[in-house]
Amino acid sequence: MERVWSHRPPFLRLALFFLAYVLACGFAQSLAIVPGTGISIWPPGGLFIATLVLASRPSWPWWILAGCLGEMFSNVLWFHSPQAAAFLIYVGNALEAMVAAWLVNRTLKPPVRLETLQEVTAFIVISAGVAPAVSATIGSATLAWFSIQSQSFLTAWPLWWIGDATGVLIVAPLALVLFHSWRGKTQLSTGQWVEAAVLALIFLGVAALSLSGYLPFAYIIMPPLLWAAVRFEFKGAAVSLALLALITAVFTITGASQFAGDPEAQKHNQVMLQLFLAISAFSALIVAAISRQHQLAVLSLRQSVEALSERERELSQLVDMVPVQIRRLTPKGEPVFFNKRLIDFFGLDVGDMDQPGTSRLSSVIHTLVHPDDAPRLLETVHRALASGDPFSIKYRMRRFDGAYRWVDGRAEPLQDQNGAIVQWYVISVDIDDEMRAQEALRNREHELSQLVDMVPSLLWRLSPDGAPTFFNKRLIDFLGLDVAEMEKPGMSRLSALIDVAVHPDDARSLAEALNHSLVTGERFSKQYRLRRADGVYRWVKGSAEPLRDENGEIVQWYGLSHDIDDQLRVEEALRERERSLWQIVETLPVMIDCAAPDGEPVYRNPQLRDFLGYKLEELDGTGKSRLAGTLDAGVHPDDLADVKEKYAHSLATGEPYARRHRLRRFDGDYRWVETRAAPMRDGEGAIVQWNVICLDIDGEVQAQEELRLTQEGLARAGQAASLAELSASIAHEVNQPLAAVVANSHACQRWLMADPPNMERAQRTVERIIRDANSAAEVVSRIRALFKQSADRRVQTTLSSIIDEVRSLMADEAWRRRVRIDVEIDGSLPSVAIDRIQIQQVLINLIRNGIEALDAAASDRVVAIRSHHVGNAVQTEVRDLGQGIELPEKMFDPFFSTKENGMGMGLAICRSIVELHGGRLWAEKNEPRGAALIFTLPIETKAAP
């Protein structure tokens, strides 16, 4: 802990870094012009990387802490993301900066100055190419995890990466250059100041015109930007890029830039803005590095010229040190001078080799030349002295240490004006290493000869006119004959070889290809069958290259043939398997479609092409993508929106797709199909293709519809039977008390009409009438109990959940009848006290009536449900666009029905249930056609008596 504290940077620098980080975050937020992404150019990344590159590694924790505070403060000030998400995003930024700083310090020698093209390129590749991948991965995963602005990982990652890379390219190199270069005093001449002022005016004018959209494209700014980088190197590039970034930001934020635009083009413009700034920064830095490197090269060249002048003054002193042994002889061949190198080689001078009775020449040769070479050298020298001709000879000379070394001796006579030899100049060049190299080369050639015979290929050589001159051992063993055995009367050696060794079906084409190469000098390459020694023909691939001399003339042809017979057999098997698989796909009794990763169709099998009645290529040039053209032309309009939505969801998430919908056949008839799509992925999990199948299920759907109608008929028959049974029961139960009431009424009438009236008997009869009437009322109450449930089962709830449940319950029936159910519910509906089951029964009855009313409708087959707050009640409306109603009030009467097989009890029961809840149910005519059934439920509900 003490060590970390001891490396704490000054608080002022930490505060400046914190402030710069926050301002850079604000700059990034201001350029986030694409709605729903929140991702733009990220200058804090470049600032962070440059800071860690310049700072010592023990002080990194302090800078990371300051950056974390800046990120959290910027999140509160600019971004308003969840704190956990903001912290995870900062972790990605910190890891990006640490990885970049560590790699840069490992790759480039500190301190990092970015003065050469190699340094700039390495810094850009690491900081703007490799490191942003870390932040993009963590940041994109965070956005997807927290569902921030509906970002998915795959859509956010590229924008995040290029935004970080652009910010690094703009800020990081410039910060490093400014730190190292700006402290030096800038010395500019008057002309350079004038040039800088003119350049600034041109730069600002071109930037304002191009970025405001007045000029056709933004990259017109590149010439003045590169001018500044070339003339003023990194400082000019720094100032120019800073001005360019500020001007671009101002015009983009104000909406005047060509990088701003309508919402549909903003994502593209965002990428173009990032690429524009990244390319500008990259180009300026590269050009500045090249300019700087050029200046350093010019300075180095100037220093080299000065050193060369100094070197020339020393050459005269080095002539005596030339690496050759020089001697001078008299016209008679007597040595009179040895240069210093020769004296050092021998270890003695000319006078040291005089011997009595022997000439100095013979004494020198016999003393200093190898005994095996001395006689030959002495004979050569005497012959040259006698004839006056120059000579050259290789021999071994003894060095002062007794070692013999090969030298190349050459002698030239110096003659006077009369042609008489004045003296001989002789040089000896040490070629011992060369001789040893030649010996090694000869050994190497022997090894190469063995290698050529051992290489697992058939090697051959042809003369410039095409005659075979060499076969390696493997080719001789393969053919069973050598070059010398190719001779045939009346035929060239090449023709004889082709006639003997090449398959008759390939001989002519091979001869034509070889002759073409021999005439044109072009490379030869061809596959053909070559007969093996056992008579079996095997496929080989032969190729040959010409060897040329200094003048470009062909010296000989070197050829190679390798056996590819097994490979061709494998390839043929693979092709056969591919053909088999292709035939399977083409003949399967299903409709198959293959699409690119973005959903664009690339292949359809014949069954699908025949069903649709057009080829895939006919969709090109229509102004739509193949996918959009296919869906718009083939899918039924009522199914189109849902198909597009689900297909787009599958393409975005990679989830399999499955749906039933109607597809238009070539004859215009819509048939029900079941479409299923699944992605095919590579080894890394990336989607490379979508495979889609379509099954014609129209017959199945029709059968299901017929089954449903049959079931409905059975249900109606059961309802009629139940109603008949119920009616008989009601008549039986009510008949007895009613008959008693009638009988007692007649009796009461007789007692009252008697003279005098019998009031006591009449009173007892009235009491029996009241008893029998109450008995009938109890029967009716029991019947009503069949259609209602106890009010004690009501609970406080909202209609939205009940409507959603009913919509799910009715989804299958609506789908069978090809009706869409649209729901619109106010978000602020209050809760009401209701019996959940009874209200579900009401909604199901009303929705079913609306669906059945659309049976005769050809279009607009929609049942709309709307629930909203009206006064002290919640009002719910069920509307359809059917044939409408003529008697809105009479339709609620029991046993009244407009349906052919209706019982007329449904709406009567619905009204009873709604009224039991304290509400009201009525019917209206819908506009422009159809009916609307509306009921209300009070917010404060009292139980019915």
Side-chain angles (χ1 to χ4, degrees), residues 80 116 142 232 439 552 646 692 695 718:
H80 314 295
T116 66
T142 302
F232 301 97
E439 180 65 23
K646 290 189 175 180
V692 186
L695 300 175

Side-chain angles (χ1 to χ4, degrees), residues 232-249:
F232 301 97
E233 301 177 1
F234 287 101
K235 295 179 182 179
V239 174
S240 300
L241 286 175
L243 291 175
L244 179 61
L246 291 175
I247 294 173
T248 303

Side-chain angles (χ1 to χ4, degrees), residues 64-77:
I64 294 173
L65 177 60
C68 182
L69 295 176
E71 182 81 15
M72 295 298 102
F73 182 76
S74 299
N75 182 58
V76 175
L77 189 62

Side-chain angles (χ1 to χ4, degrees), residues 458 478-479 501-503 506 527-542 561-569:
L458 312 176
F478 185 91
L479 298 176
V502 179
H503 194 281
D506 304 332
Q527 293 182 6
Y528 52 92
R529 283 163 289 184
L530 200 61
R531 193 186 69 178
R532 202 164 54 185
D534 57 1
V536 176
Y537 285 97
R538 293 185 64 84
W539 282 98
V540 298
K541 183 175 183 179
S561 300
H562 57 275
D563 192 322
I564 60 170
D565 196 79
D566 295 335
Q567 175 186 344
L568 291 180
R569 295 181 188 276

Side-chain angles (χ1 to χ4, degrees), residues 206-270:
V206 173
L209 292 175
S210 61
L211 294 175
S212 64
Y214 185 80
L215 292 179
F217 54 92
Y219 288 95
I220 296 178
I221 194 63
M222 293 301 292
L225 178 62
L226 298 182
W227 180 6
V230 171
R231 295 293 296 159
F232 301 97
E233 301 177 1
F234 287 101
K235 295 179 182 179
V239 174
S240 300
L241 286 175
L243 291 175
L244 179 61
L246 291 175
I247 294 173
T248 303
V250 170
F251 279 105
T252 302
I253 294 171
T254 58
S257 171
Q258 55 183 281
F259 297 111
D262 57 278
E264 295 181 356
Q266 282 181 352
K267 184 174 182 179
H268 172 76
N269 292 340
Q270 174 77 75

